[in-house]
Amino acid sequence: MNGGEREYSPKRFAVASVACPACHVKLDREANWCEGCGFTGAKSMGMFGDSPPPLFNFLDVADLWDAKGQSMIEAEVKAFGKRFPQIRWKICAVALGAGVSLPVFGFWLMNASSLMPGESAEDREWSILLLVDSNSGRASVTAGYRAEVWLSDEMWDAALEECAEPMRAQRPDKAVVLFMRKAQRLFESAWKRSQKQLSAR
Amino acid sequence: MEAIPKTIVGKMKALAAIVSIFLCIAVQGGQSQSQSQSGSKFGERPKNSIFDPTGVLTPKEQEQISKPLEIILKNEGIDIIVLILPDIGDAPPEHVIKGFAEKWATTTVNSVVLHVPGKEGTPWIFPGKVMTSAIKPDAVSETIAAAQQRAAAEPTDFGKVRAASVEAADAIRYWLGAALLRTEDVINRRLKWQLENERRGRLLKLSAALGAAALVPLVFGAVFLFVRIRARRAKLFPPLRKIARLGAPYAGGNCNCSKPIR
């Protein structure tokens, strides 16, 4: 980002409030800990350790996608990146143990993983992690500070809904593709909204 | 002379005066009659189309000339009037016969032959107005001059008049054919021009309609492309200030969405 470029407050564009990933209590945007459960970033380190795997753009620990499916997803990520070059996607399939909270795990992964070569802190803050747990059959989304502003939980829920049908049809690659397309449409609307907000000044 | 008595001389003078008076009256009467016949008062058109008040041609000669003229008039509508006048003074021949032509001509396609015995240049042939306006003036005068020359070469009055009337009829016949052909040509050309114009108009309309029809999808295509390109361009969100929470460097984990997807 250019040094002279004005940075807006996230509150100006935020469509939803923020909540604790552990207990879902509504949080102040600048809270250092959760007043509901006392959750902090450090606590997540205690839960999952301090040596997370490197956060590649595509990580399939659970061996959910085959090569063809992977290239389909990568093509979709690439197309998305052309439209919204600020947004970075991290697509991960993991096999978590029972009782592990997927949002907390995503939170930990996003923050604890070291930056990849060529990746800046701002890139990570614009990143969105789609996490699929092959064991529980659940999926979650964790967005960086700069990416979380544009879509609400309900919007992400709607995008994740797109995954259900193809997942049931044993098409995990298609599930991600449809999810990303829905996410792209949602970001289109968010972008238009942001432009209106800017011009309304 | 001296032997002639004065009374006889006086009587002779008186007789001479009376004779001269009669002669004057006769001459004036003749002149007035001639005037009335030569144009000021046209009177009735002669049935044989030959006006010969002084009888230059014999009836038989007149018949030889008028018969073919009647046939031409009947069959071809060409009216030839023959005028044989004893004198026209200094008046131009065309002026003299203009009045006759206007009063006596029965068709618009006419010609007048004027013969003034003994006058230089006689006979004259004057084609009617319609012909002179339809044919090029140069062509008319050239043909007429040649015809007059041929007629003038005839030794007798009868020969001159007959030759002039035949030449006049032939000239009109020729011109009529040419004029008809020319008219036909003009009509054909005009028709062709109109048809060509109409064809061009139709082509123009068709081209315009096709152009417009082709333009519509082009415009739609251009608009569609514009919209597509605009929609496909990279979209940047406004730059945001980072506000960290929960002691996390990159993400606050705000999204609580964790959906079962199977």
Side-chain angles (χ1 to χ4, degrees):
Chain A
M1 193 182 72
N2 292 336
E5 200 172 4
R6 178 185 171 177
E7 286 187 333
Y8 296 92
S9 166
K11 291 174 187 172
R12 182 184 168 88
F13 300 100
V15 291
S17 56
V18 293
C20 172
C23 69
H24 313 322
V25 166
K26 188 179 170 186
L27 292 180
D28 184 82
R29 202 167 280 277
E30 297 178 42
N32 287 323
W33 65 88
C34 172
E35 289 182 353
C37 65
F39 182 78
T40 61
K43 280 196 175 179
S44 72
M45 299 288 269
M47 290 164 76
F48 301 108
D50 55 0
S51 53
L55 190 54
F56 293 106
N57 292 343
F58 189 85
L59 184 66
D60 188 8
V61 178
D63 201 19
L64 193 61
W65 299 292
D66 57 14
K68 192 182 167 190
Q70 185 180 334
S71 53
M72 264 177 73
I73 293 166
E74 283 172 346
E76 201 64 31
V77 169
K78 195 177 172 186
F80 191 102
K82 280 186 180 174
R83 301 291 281 277
F84 300 103
Q86 293 160 308
I87 308 287
R88 313 292 168 114
W89 281 98
K90 309 283 183 186
I91 314 289
C92 293
V94 291
L96 297 179
V100 176
S101 164
L102 207 53
V104 174
F105 184 79
F107 170 85
W108 170 74
L109 204 56
M110 276 284 276
N111 290 297
S113 287
S114 305
L115 295 175
M116 298 299 292
E119 185 185 27
S120 67
E122 192 176 329
D123 288 342
R124 182 65 66 88
E125 288 154 15
W126 275 105
S127 296
I128 299 166
L129 169 66
L130 170 66
L131 200 57
V132 179
D133 181 9
S134 61
N135 285 343
S136 67
R138 297 179 77 86
S140 78
V141 174
T142 305
Y145 287 122
R146 295 179 200 268
E148 70 181 11
V149 175
W150 312 107
L151 302 186
S152 65
D153 285 0
E154 291 74 25
M155 291 172 187
W156 283 120
D157 276 344
L160 286 172
E161 289 280 353
E162 298 285 322
C163 300
E165 180 96 22
M167 282 298 279
R168 280 195 290 271
Q170 305 296 315
R171 289 292 308 277
D173 48 358
K174 196 178 176 187
V176 177
V177 168
L178 291 182
F179 162 79
M180 292 203 65
R181 286 181 185 169
K182 176 69 176 178
Q184 187 168 317
R185 289 195 293 275
L186 292 168
F187 270 106
E188 292 276 358
S189 305
W191 180 81
K192 283 179 189 167
R193 201 168 52 241
S194 72
Q195 298 306 303
K196 276 185 188 172
Q197 283 173 307
L198 281 177
S199 60
R201 263 191 88 202
Chain B
M1 292 288 288
E2 288 175 2
I4 301 168
K6 283 185 178 177
T7 52
I8 293 174
V9 172
K11 280 180 182 176
M12 282 177 71
K13 279 183 180 174
L15 185 64
I18 289 164
V19 168
S20 67
I21 286 165
F22 273 112
L23 277 170
C24 280
I25 290 167
V27 166
Q28 280 175 353
Q31 279 177 345
S32 69
Q33 189 187 2
S34 168
Q35 275 177 357
S36 73
Q37 287 167 343
S38 67
S40 58
K41 298 198 180 198
F42 305 102
E44 291 279 319
R45 171 179 166 153
K47 282 183 181 172
N48 63 358
S49 302
I50 298 171
F51 181 62
D52 183 12
T54 52
V56 172
L57 302 181
T58 64
K60 195 180 175 183
E61 286 171 335
Q62 285 190 12
E63 196 180 338
Q64 282 180 27
I65 294 168
S66 67
K67 278 287 176 193
L69 298 185
E70 275 176 39
I71 293 166
I72 290 169
L73 177 62
K74 190 179 171 187
N75 295 341
E76 300 173 53
I78 299 169
D79 189 16
I80 308 289
I81 301 163
V82 176
L83 305 175
I84 302 167
L85 299 177
D87 189 18
I88 56 169
D90 294 330
E94 63 267 27
H95 286 195
V96 174
I97 62 169
K98 189 182 171 191
F100 283 96
E102 283 174 359
K103 289 287 175 187
W104 286 356
T106 55
T107 68
T108 52
V109 184
N110 62 71
S111 187
V112 178
V113 171
L114 171 64
H115 177 54
V116 182
K119 193 166 175 72
E120 192 181 343
T122 194
W124 294 275
I125 300 168
F126 294 95
K129 262 188 189 174
V130 173
M131 301 312 295
T132 50
S133 59
I135 315 292
K136 277 184 182 176
D138 290 350
V140 172
S141 25
E142 197 179 322
T143 312
I144 290 297
Q148 284 179 174
Q149 209 173 356
R150 284 193 293 274
E154 292 290 328
T156 61
D157 289 326
F158 166 68
K160 287 180 202 291
V161 172
R162 187 176 63 174
S165 63
V166 170
E167 290 280 356
D170 285 350
I172 286 187
R173 273 204 203 101
Y174 170 75
W175 286 329
L176 202 58
L180 281 174
L181 286 172
R182 225 179 108 194
T183 309
E184 197 176 352
D185 186 43
V186 167
I187 290 167
N188 283 342
R189 269 189 287 148
R190 188 175 298 158
L191 270 174
K192 273 185 190 170
W193 180 79
Q194 279 176 344
L195 285 171
E196 183 66 18
N197 258 13
E198 282 173 16
R199 194 178 67 83
R200 278 185 190 165
R202 278 197 303 273
L203 272 176
L204 201 68
K205 279 180 190 170
L206 191 67
S207 308
L210 284 174
L215 213 61
V216 169
L218 272 178
V219 168
F220 274 107
V223 169
F224 178 74
L225 266 178
F226 177 75
V227 169
R228 289 277 295 184
I229 289 167
R230 215 178 133 79
R232 280 181 174 275
R233 68 184 174 163
K235 290 169 180 172
L236 294 174
F237 287 98
L240 298 177
R241 193 166 58 247
K242 173 188 166 184
I243 301 174
R245 62 181 178 275
L246 301 175
Y250 310 120
N254 75 309
C255 183
N256 301 314
C257 44
S258 172
K259 288 289 255 186
I261 54 173
R262 70 164 190 245

